[in-house]
Amino acid sequence: MRIAVIGQSLFGQEVYKELRKDGHTIVGVFTIPDKDGKADPLAVEAERDNVAVFKFPRWRLKGQALPEVVAQYKATGAELNVLPFCSQFIPMEVIDHPQHGSIIYHPSLLPRHRGASAINWTLIHGDKKGGFTVFWADDGLDTGPILLQRECDVEANDTVSTIYKRFLFPEGVKGTVDAVRLIAEGKAPRITQPTEGATYECIQKKDNSQIDWNQPAEAVHNWIRGNDKVPGAWATVDGQRVTFFGSSLVASGALPKGQPLEIEGASRPGIVTKAGLMLFGNDGKALLVKNLQMAEGKMIPAGQYFSSGSSAAVELTVEERAFALQMRAVWQSILTNVAEIQDSTDFFKSGAASMDVVRLVEEVKLRAAGCHLQNEDVYMNTSFQEFIQMCVRKLRGEDGEEELQVDYVEKEVNNMTVRMPHQLFINGEFVDAEGGKTYKTINPTDGTAICEVSLAQVGDVDRAVAAAKEAFEEGEWGRMNPRDRGRLLYRLADLMEQHQEELATIETMDSGAVYTLALKTHVGMSIQTFRYFAGWCDKIHGSTIPINQARPNRNLTFTKKEPIGVCGIVIPWNYPLMMLAWKTAACLAAGNTVVLKPAQVTPLTAVKFAELAAMAGIPKGVINILPGSGSVVGQRLSDHPDVRKLGFTGSTEIGKHIMKSCAVSNVKKVSLELGGKSPLIIFSDCDMDKAVRSGMSSVFFNKGENCIAAGRLFVEDTIHDAFVARVLVEMKKMKVGDPMDRSTDHGPQNHRAHLEKLLEFCRTGVKEGASLLRGGQQVDRPGFFFEPTLFTDVQDHMYIAVEESFGPVMIVSSFKGGDVDEVLRRANATEYGLASGVFTRDISKALYVSEKLNAGTVFVNTYNKTDVAAPFGGFKQSGFGKDLGQDALNEYLKTKAVTIEY
């Protein structure tokens, strides 16, 4: 059949794919508009198949169908409409138009639970049976004739998420496709919905999800799980709203030991136990919740309401000791070469291989059905004692690390709720700075404070370095298989991608980057960087070297590439997340641990990254994030005797100071990416359109806060005036304004001090006699906005020709055609050598110029085209060492040569 799919989401995407597999022709996909530049999964799939996709914001206005929308729909010639999941109101002119009408998927057994919160109410009412209905659409609200229904048992502790993943999603896709198959065969029934048993419930929201304690425990349990995770059932505890998650019914019996917790309206106090928070209904029966969300947004394990918990070794019960004895025998049967299994026996050092891991996991399943291991659990707990402790914790429901406690600052911005950690991240925990020191981070768009951020002190640096050292020398990270390390970095990249809109929004708030650029470049390239270096983890190797001088000549020499240890990383404020990724991804891929200082003015994406790293399973101590000042945190990292490598991106002046401190302290390995005054040479035989476009980008990209920005443009005299005129025309089109606005070209400068520096830079240029053709002024609006600026008639001796502006200031000088070496001399007459560029159609000239330009990167007929696989770094006072590409790994590795005589 010719089918129109009307809907959205992964569910809609799967239905669409299965319909195509069944041989149907999809004549059109009608879905929601892109959100924040990201297409719905259904649209992505259809566009990949070259199927027509329509993204109407609405189908009707003031209750009337939009004629132009209906006309586009009818033009597809659909014989059937399939609505797998649709949040839009579709007019009856569309519903009734196809030959076979329209069918809709609904996640309840109609007529029960009509409405948008059907799954929630299935659980809230304690239904023993759940399921879904595919029905014929009519002009009512979920009232059309039934075509197909399928049901499932509702388990006692099901949540919205578990029943959806277990049955409603996979079986719902199959059922929807089966319904279409029945229509195609002419066998589809139309069963009128009965009136008896029909219900319609409201949409569940936070305001109407407060717990009523005057009911039995089972009803309270159903209310909590029916609102888990959204919107979340809540009650008032200690005067604040606390939300409950992970509810399960508790069998009758003796009450566990714990601390009482008064809950407003409850028939009796709850009990905080190791397993969670025990709650009671008015019938005296109990339920247990695993997690709590505090009013400020912090999520904690319920068992840690009064304390942070303990990671001490657990004492085994009689039954657990019997289990340990069985497992000791299993280890003995696998490790046949070991005389006796001691607590300290290491599974892999004793000769176990990957197939032995599979066997061990299966042996545990046979002896303890409640202990569900993954292969990774064995790799992470390699000694017998560690293995038994891990298994026992899983059997007790205390497995894994304590849930990360995050004190979020929440903001409603960019049509979403962003949740921002704001503390230091040390040894896998968010903690306050020594002495409770904090400072305000400022939104450059309006100059207001975003939130208070913990301000790291020297003692905090010492604690972070100690944690990183322990993680490297004694923790899981140091002994982890490189492939497993790569898997964790891939998982981290996936989490960053899942949170990319939130990360980009935080980046825009904190740094002033235009949101679209933050999403594509600041965040997008960060994700790409972690994925790239994740792939390198198991490909780092040395070489075998023939040696001839030693006698006798029976020698083998080989090299090993080894991680350095604890690495300090200090990053700038222009690309906060991307600079973190460029250095940290290579550092971790090489097997090191890291203590990172984000720029004091832009700390928020770094601490959000720390949260995602913990979620990804990066072990404690491997990543530590310390917002703070350079004079305190940066200086202590440079001086610290246990830091063996320091990577820095920032100004040349600070780079020199860091290099000196690293030398004096313990001769640390250092890599520096410093300032730049990158020349861009534009010859008269260039493609003028491209030269103007790229020339603009070379200066104004990321509002000029770009280390490789073209600090000076040399334009051949015969096209100089035409080039400048074209640039002025384009500059007039640039929109300076709110960086969250998708049409904005140019956001605010990063912070007030930088804005003032730019103003002084331009005043100096005017005083020296350069021609200011446009800009040079602060924009008259709140925040730190600066007009894109154009100077011409700039002489080589002028301050603005020599020094870096690090802002949206284009500096144009002319040169005479025919003297390539002279313009090269001028272009190279700088102490910087980070990047450079040339525009010409003459390939010989391009190659000659690229060879002679003294810079770490040369762009030919393009600019700003960096890639995760291409090395990036400068010459001269722009620093040394490389980010990105295979070369970056060498910055975080040491080479050991081993020679053997045989």
Side-chain angles (χ1 to χ4, degrees):
M1 283 191 295
R2 293 170 58 82
I3 296 175
V5 177
I6 304 175
Q8 63 207 69
S9 79
L10 290 170
F11 186 90
Q13 180 190 45
E14 288 303 309
V15 169
Y16 161 87
K17 287 162 63 176
E18 292 303 316
L19 289 173
R20 280 174 55 87
K21 286 181 185 177
D22 238 23
H24 299 290
T25 300
I26 309 300
V27 296
V29 164
F30 299 82
T31 187
I32 57 175
D34 295 355
K35 184 178 180 181
D36 299 333
K38 185 177 181 180
D40 182 82
L42 173 57
V44 172
E45 190 72 29
E47 287 168 347
R48 188 181 296 131
D49 295 331
N50 294 317
V51 171
V53 176
F54 304 84
K55 302 177 182 180
F56 302 134
R58 63 179 65 86
W59 290 73
R60 60 184 190 173
L61 185 64
K62 297 181 179 179
Q64 300 297 313
L66 296 172
E68 64 276 15
V69 172
V70 174
Q72 288 186 65
Y73 159 77
K74 289 182 176 179
T76 64
E79 298 171 318
L80 173 70
N81 293 332
V82 177
L83 286 72
F85 175 76
C86 183
S87 62
Q88 296 178 310
F89 289 97
I90 310 301
M92 293 308 297
E93 290 91 333
V94 172
I95 294 294
D96 292 335
H97 178 74
Q99 173 187 345
H100 297 289
S102 303
I103 60 170
I104 302 176
Y105 167 88
H106 183 79
S108 78
L109 297 173
L110 293 174
R112 193 160 172 79
H113 307 311
R114 294 168 176 159
S117 294
I119 310 176
N120 302 77
W121 287 102
T122 297
L123 299 175
I124 290 170
H125 282 282
D127 294 358
K128 302 304 180 185
K129 295 288 184 180
F132 63 87
T133 304
V134 179
F135 68 96
W136 298 94
D138 66 358
D139 58 357
L141 186 62
D142 303 335
T143 56
I146 294 170
L147 191 162
L148 177 150
Q149 282 188 326
R150 289 184 183 158
E151 68 176 35
C152 68
D153 293 330
V154 179
E155 297 178 2
N157 296 323
D158 261 332
T159 64
V160 174
S161 177
T162 60
I163 194 172
Y164 183 71
K165 290 179 180 178
R166 186 181 74 250
F167 184 83
L168 296 175
F169 185 104
E171 295 303 319
V173 171
K174 294 176 186 176
T176 305
V177 176
D178 287 347
V180 174
R181 193 175 293 131
L182 289 172
I183 296 171
E185 295 170 353
K187 299 177 181 179
R190 291 177 179 264
I191 304 168
T192 301
Q193 290 192 31
T195 56
E196 184 179 353
T199 64
Y200 176 84
E201 293 95 358
C202 65
I203 297 175
Q204 279 304 94
K205 298 180 179 178
K206 197 71 175 181
D207 291 342
N208 62 7
S209 61
Q210 184 175 8
I211 299 170
D212 176 8
W213 295 103
N214 190 29
Q215 52 185 336
E218 186 174 359
V220 175
H221 163 67
N222 288 337
W223 183 261
I224 293 173
R225 70 188 180 118
N227 287 282
D228 185 347
K229 295 278 191 189
V230 178
W234 61 275
T236 301
V237 182
D238 290 337
Q240 65 171 325
R241 180 184 289 187
V242 176
T243 306
F244 300 81
F245 300 103
S247 175
S248 59
L249 289 170
V250 176
S252 300
L255 295 180
K257 295 180 180 180
Q259 293 179 262
L261 178 65
E262 293 291 338
I263 301 173
E264 187 176 299
S267 58
R268 58 189 287 187
I271 302 176
V272 177
T273 72
K274 284 186 176 181
L277 172 61
M278 185 169 282
L279 304 170
F280 301 89
N282 62 5
D283 58 353
K285 294 183 178 180
L287 58 138
L288 187 77
V289 295
K290 286 284 190 181
N291 299 307
L292 304 174
Q293 186 176 39
M294 313 311 288
E296 69 274 16
K298 179 170 66 176
M299 186 80 78
I300 63 169
Q304 296 180 14
Y305 187 85
F306 292 114
S307 66
S308 59
S310 172
S311 59
V314 298
E315 184 175 346
L316 306 190
T317 64
V318 173
E319 294 80 7
E320 289 164 351
R321 286 199 293 272
F323 167 74
L325 193 62
Q326 293 179 46
M327 293 315 302
R328 195 180 294 272
V330 170
W331 275 52
Q332 191 72 69
S333 68
I334 295 173
L335 305 175
T336 55
N337 59 313
V338 178
E340 183 180 2
I341 303 298
Q342 306 287 340
D343 285 350
S344 59
T345 300
D346 188 282
F347 195 64
F348 297 102
K349 289 181 180 178
S350 299
S354 58
M355 283 304 298
D356 298 316
V357 174
V358 176
R359 177 185 167 186
L360 183 57
V361 169
E362 294 303 314
E363 294 276 8
V364 171
K365 287 180 183 177
L366 291 173
R367 289 160 177 78
C371 189
H372 302 289
L373 296 190
Q374 303 295 325
N375 291 358
E376 187 174 277
D377 292 322
V378 181
Y379 287 113
M380 296 294 186
N381 299 275
T382 61
S383 76
F384 183 74
Q385 184 177 38
E386 290 172 339
F387 177 80
I388 290 299
Q389 287 280 313
M390 177 267 297
C391 289
V392 168
R393 289 185 187 279
K394 284 185 176 290
L395 287 166
R396 293 183 180 184
E398 303 170 358
D399 57 302
E401 300 291 343
E402 297 171 0
E403 185 168 340
L404 183 67
Q405 298 184 42
V406 187
D407 181 19
Y408 292 108
V409 173
E410 293 191 357
K411 297 277 187 182
E412 295 293 332
V413 61
N414 199 23
N415 298 317
M416 70 178 76
T417 301
V418 295
R419 307 177 74 205
M420 300 175 288
H422 60 103
Q423 297 169 288
L424 314 181
F425 187 74
I426 300 175
N427 202 25
E429 297 180 327
F430 283 106
V431 295
D432 290 335
E434 192 176 73
K437 301 275 185 154
T438 64
Y439 70 98
K440 290 182 173 67
T441 185
I442 303 299
N443 186 337
T445 300
D446 56 14
T448 62
I450 301 172
C451 64
E452 293 275 347
V453 178
S454 294
L455 182 68
Q457 306 299 301
V458 168
D460 298 313
V461 180
D462 291 344
R463 285 191 297 127
V465 171
K469 183 180 181 183
E470 182 178 2
F472 178 76
E473 294 181 351
E474 301 175 23
E476 303 166 12
W477 192 252
R479 63 175 185 265
M480 188 179 292
N481 182 289
R483 188 164 296 172
D484 293 330
R485 190 161 62 237
R487 289 193 188 103
L488 288 179
L489 294 186
Y490 275 124
R491 191 182 304 166
L492 175 55
D494 289 344
L495 283 168
M496 292 171 70
E497 187 168 53
Q498 291 171 28
H499 289 262
Q500 61 184 333
E501 288 87 358
E502 184 179 25
L503 286 166
T505 300
I506 296 171
E507 190 93 326
T508 296
M509 278 197 298
D510 208 21
S511 75
V514 171
Y515 175 76
T516 50
L517 180 67
L519 188 63
K520 178 182 181 295
T521 302
H522 289 234
V523 178
M525 193 174 189
S526 299
I527 296 167
Q528 293 169 13
T529 302
F530 271 97
R531 286 202 174 120
Y532 173 81
F533 283 109
W536 268 110
C537 288
D538 61 353
K539 300 172 186 65
I540 297 170
H541 57 80
S543 57
T544 303
I545 304 169
I547 60 172
N548 301 310
Q549 300 304 312
R551 294 290 185 270
N553 196 21
R554 294 190 303 277
N555 303 285
L556 172 66
T557 296
F558 62 89
T559 61
K560 296 177 65 180
K561 298 285 188 179
E562 298 179 348
I564 294 171
V566 179
C567 298
I569 293 176
V570 180
I571 57 173
W573 42 258
N574 58 326
Y575 293 101
L577 185 63
M578 195 171 79
M579 291 296 99
L580 177 153
W582 281 20
K583 295 186 187 299
T584 305
C587 177
L588 296 177
N592 302 286
T593 56
V594 64
V595 180
L596 181 138
K597 189 198 90 67
Q600 187 171 351
V601 293
T602 53
L604 295 180
T605 45
V607 286
K608 184 67 179 179
F609 166 83
E611 178 194 0
L612 299 180
M615 290 170 61
I618 304 292
K620 289 183 177 182
V622 174
I623 295 173
N624 303 272
I625 307 292
L626 303 179
S629 69
S631 60
V632 174
V633 180
Q635 185 64 57
R636 181 56 181 156
L637 285 173
S638 301
D639 293 338
H640 202 293
D642 290 332
V643 175
R644 292 295 173 183
K645 159 69 199 278
L646 197 138
F648 172 75
T649 295
S651 71
T652 298
E653 178 185 5
I654 300 300
K656 291 178 179 179
H657 181 80
I658 284 175
M659 191 173 177
K660 181 178 180 180
S661 296
C662 288
V664 170
S665 59
N666 60 345
V667 196
K668 291 176 180 63
K669 187 173 183 177
V670 182
S671 56
L672 304 173
E673 195 256 277
L674 307 176
K677 190 69 173 176
S678 302
L680 175 57
I681 303 171
I682 301 174
F683 289 98
S684 60
D685 63 350
C686 68
D687 178 333
M688 179 64 89
D689 290 339
K690 192 173 185 181
V692 170
R693 187 169 61 251
S694 295
M696 295 276 292
S697 174
S698 75
V699 176
F700 300 124
F701 189 80
N702 199 47
K703 47 263 204 0
E705 294 170 355
N706 188 21
C707 51
I708 59 171
R712 194 170 179 198
L713 277 67
F714 294 92
V715 183
E716 193 166 340
D717 54 2
T718 56
I719 62 167
H720 174 275
D721 293 349
F723 177 87
V724 169
R726 289 279 298 276
V727 167
L728 282 169
V729 169
E730 295 302 317
M731 289 179 71
K732 290 175 183 177
K733 299 176 185 176
M734 293 175 68
K735 179 179 177 180
V736 179
D738 181 1
M740 291 291 184
D741 185 336
R742 304 315 192 255
S743 65
T744 294
D745 300 302
H746 193 86
Q749 305 308 133
N750 188 276
H751 51 280
R752 185 179 300 281
H754 182 52
L755 172 64
E756 292 171 354
K757 178 183 174 183
L758 281 173
L759 292 169
E760 180 59 31
F761 184 89
C762 293
R763 284 193 290 267
T764 301
V766 172
K767 288 178 184 177
E768 289 184 321
S771 298
L772 177 61
L773 301 189
R774 186 174 180 84
Q777 300 293 322
Q778 183 174 357
V779 177
D780 186 18
R781 59 174 294 162
F784 311 140
F785 291 87
F786 180 79
E787 292 182 6
T789 298
L790 173 61
F791 277 104
T792 61
D793 300 325
V794 178
Q795 304 303 310
D796 294 354
H797 67 276
M798 292 181 178
Y799 176 85
I800 63 173
V802 176
E803 294 300 324
E804 182 180 25
S805 70
F806 212 65
V809 182
M810 181 179 283
I811 296 171
V812 181
S813 300
S814 66
F815 69 92
K816 292 183 179 180
D819 196 345
V820 176
D821 288 329
E822 174 58 18
V823 73
L824 281 169
R825 182 195 64 77
R826 295 173 66 191
N828 285 327
T830 172
E831 275 299 303
Y832 299 111
L834 189 55
S836 59
V838 56
F839 276 80
T840 176
R841 285 192 173 96
D842 185 336
I843 186 63
S844 296
K845 188 188 297 180
L847 289 171
Y848 179 78
V849 171
S850 64
E851 179 184 316
K852 296 297 182 182
L853 282 169
N854 196 3
T857 297
V858 181
F859 298 108
V860 179
N861 294 328
T862 186
Y863 208 88
N864 284 327
K865 193 166 284 187
T866 53
D867 187 271
V868 294
F872 180 97
F875 301 158
K876 298 187 287 187
Q877 291 198 43
S878 287
F880 51 84
K882 297 294 181 183
D883 290 323
L884 304 179
Q886 183 179 358
D887 287 24
L889 290 168
N890 294 326
E891 303 299 330
Y892 298 95
L893 293 167
K894 57 189 180 185
T895 302
K896 178 183 290 182
V898 179
T899 298
I900 303 170
E901 181 180 317
Y902 59 92

